Amino acid sequence: MILFKKEYQLQNYLTSLKSDKKSIGFVPTMGALHDGHLSLIRKAKEENDCVVCSIFVNPTQFNNATDLEKYPRTAAKDIELLTSVGTDVLLMPPVEEVYPKGLDTTLELDFGELANVMEGEFRPGHFDGMAQVVNRLVNMVQPHSLYMGQKDFQQITIVRSMLTQLESKIKLVMCPIKREENGLAMSSRNVRLTPENRNLAVKISQTLTTAKKLVDKKTPKEVKEWAMQELGIPEFKPEYFEIVDGISLQSIDDFSETNFAVACTAVWAGEVRLIDNMVLKS
Ligand code: AMP
């Protein structure tokens, strides 16, 4: 694996591959890697000649300074893991390489209601920062395909909208959520859970799984109310549990309204904010 910190070095390397008609798959991450991230790399390896992974903890998408400061950073272990799955290139740019003085990286795109609901409501500005960095990193790598996880369902929906608005030819590939054996969605933030909350956090995926079984028996509103109650244990603070159309991300009143219904939730488990989702109907 080759490590680059500078854009021009990365581009020198990739330009020669591209002129040899090699396909480039790109997996952007914020590091603290786990098997969920590695599943994206494996998928990209299957489909491309060269896989580029980036590790960059993007300050512009954190609306909470403590969250940014406490975000786990495990570079040495990440490098080992990336090497073990055959990653070809690792891009680890410093902040000034991603946002150099004099380069306007802001994006004038309109995500409409996609960015106002759920994460958009509880993390103001998050998606503007996320789209800004994904666009910037994509411009640095200029891949053929971009691999992102269903784990961040609203994020990938917004990236899809961004690529459409930019008339990009990049193929966006959504990879399924990797879970621990007990069902907890893998997340870099899980290492910050207390052992007790880590056990309790299983409740999030269990609630989503039960919600899926209730589709034929209850209305979305009833499922949502039941789920918020289920997740409202003293150790947790559920922020939202929404049942949305998987394309528009707008809440549905009746399961017959869509053939792609997704339940999305965010829960504070102590000081750690966890998100998860499940397709209820597709
Ligand atoms: P992050 O480092 O959290 O920004 O995540 C980088 C990429 O990995 C994003 O596209 C995430 O959706 C994806 N990802 C994170 N957790 C998982 C998981 N448990 N399963 C699959 N993909 C994931």
Side-chain angles (χ1 to χ4, degrees):
M1 183 171 77
I2 310 175
L3 167 66
F4 293 110
K5 296 196 168 186
K6 300 261 182 213
E7 181 176 9
Y8 80 89
Q9 293 169 337
L10 170 78
Q11 287 186 345
N12 279 348
Y13 180 77
L14 294 180
T15 304
S16 67
L17 287 183
K18 285 174 194 160
S19 57
D20 286 345
K21 300 264 179 281
K22 304 283 188 210
S23 62
I24 316 285
F26 178 40
V27 181
T29 80
M30 296 204 297
L33 302 180
H34 49 68
D35 209 42
H37 297 110
L38 300 187
S39 70
L40 272 58
I41 305 271
R42 289 191 190 100
K43 177 80 173 153
K45 280 292 281 182
E46 276 167 34
E47 299 184 352
N48 296 277
D49 300 310
C50 171
V51 174
V52 181
C53 174
S54 65
I55 296 181
F56 179 64
V57 183
N58 175 37
T60 73
Q61 72 188 68
F62 283 82
N63 53 324
N64 177 324
T66 317
D67 196 21
L68 171 61
E69 186 201 322
K70 295 230 167 119
Y71 201 83
R73 287 160 172 90
T74 56
K77 186 170 167 236
D78 291 349
I79 290 173
E80 243 174 64
L81 288 173
L82 290 173
T83 309
S84 75
V85 289
T87 311
D88 300 285
V89 174
L90 170 60
L91 171 64
M92 276 181 95
V95 175
E96 54 283 8
E97 191 69 14
V98 179
Y99 302 120
K101 275 203 186 92
L103 181 71
D104 184 4
T105 56
T106 49
L107 268 181
E108 300 295 329
L109 298 179
D110 182 7
F111 300 115
E113 283 305 303
L114 290 181
N116 292 337
V117 294
M118 301 190 288
E119 293 299 287
E121 186 181 337
F122 288 94
R123 300 184 69 189
H126 166 67
F127 286 125
D128 289 335
M130 181 281 295
Q132 176 188 30
V133 79
V134 173
N135 183 50
R136 175 73 184 108
L137 292 169
V138 158
N139 281 335
M140 283 169 137
V141 180
Q142 298 177 23
H144 299 93
S145 304
L146 176 62
Y147 294 80
M148 300 187 83
Q150 181 201 324
K151 164 77 172 27
D152 299 271
F153 187 73
Q154 191 170 7
Q155 166 173 285
I156 195 169
T157 306
I158 288 173
V159 169
R160 190 177 300 115
S161 165
M162 176 183 90
L163 294 175
T164 306
Q165 291 183 60
L166 296 172
E167 297 180 14
S168 168
K169 290 198 171 66
I170 295 170
K171 181 174 116 185
L172 180 61
V173 182
M174 182 163 88
C175 303
I177 304 175
K178 269 268 178 184
R179 297 179 179 281
E180 307 279 355
E181 242 168 67
N182 63 12
L184 174 65
M186 290 183 181
S187 164
S188 304
R189 291 184 164 89
N190 290 354
V191 295
R192 291 181 49 218
L193 290 166
T194 61
E196 192 199 13
N197 283 349
R198 198 176 174 115
N199 286 333
L200 288 170
V202 174
K203 212 171 173 51
I204 301 171
S205 61
Q206 283 172 346
T207 305
L208 287 162
T209 306
T210 308
K212 186 168 180 156
K213 294 185 185 138
L214 294 175
V215 166
D216 295 326
K217 303 184 183 80
K218 292 191 183 291
T219 65
K221 185 165 176 271
E222 286 166 346
V223 177
K224 178 182 157 158
E225 281 169 4
W226 167 81
M228 286 297 277
Q229 217 167 19
E230 196 65 10
L231 294 169
I233 57 174
E235 295 83 354
F236 286 5
K237 192 166 98 38
E239 264 184 350
Y240 65 80
F241 187 102
E242 294 292 344
I243 298 178
V244 300
D245 171 75
I247 306 290
S248 70
L249 300 187
Q250 301 310 295
S251 290
I252 55 169
D253 293 326
D254 196 295
F255 284 110
S256 65
E257 270 174 45
T258 177
N259 37 33
F260 184 24
V262 186
C264 302
T265 187
V267 178
W268 283 95
E271 303 206 327
V272 185
R273 189 174 183 278
L274 301 174
I275 59 168
D276 199 353
N277 67 81
M278 196 169 283
V279 176
L280 302 187
K281 186 180 162 193
S282 68

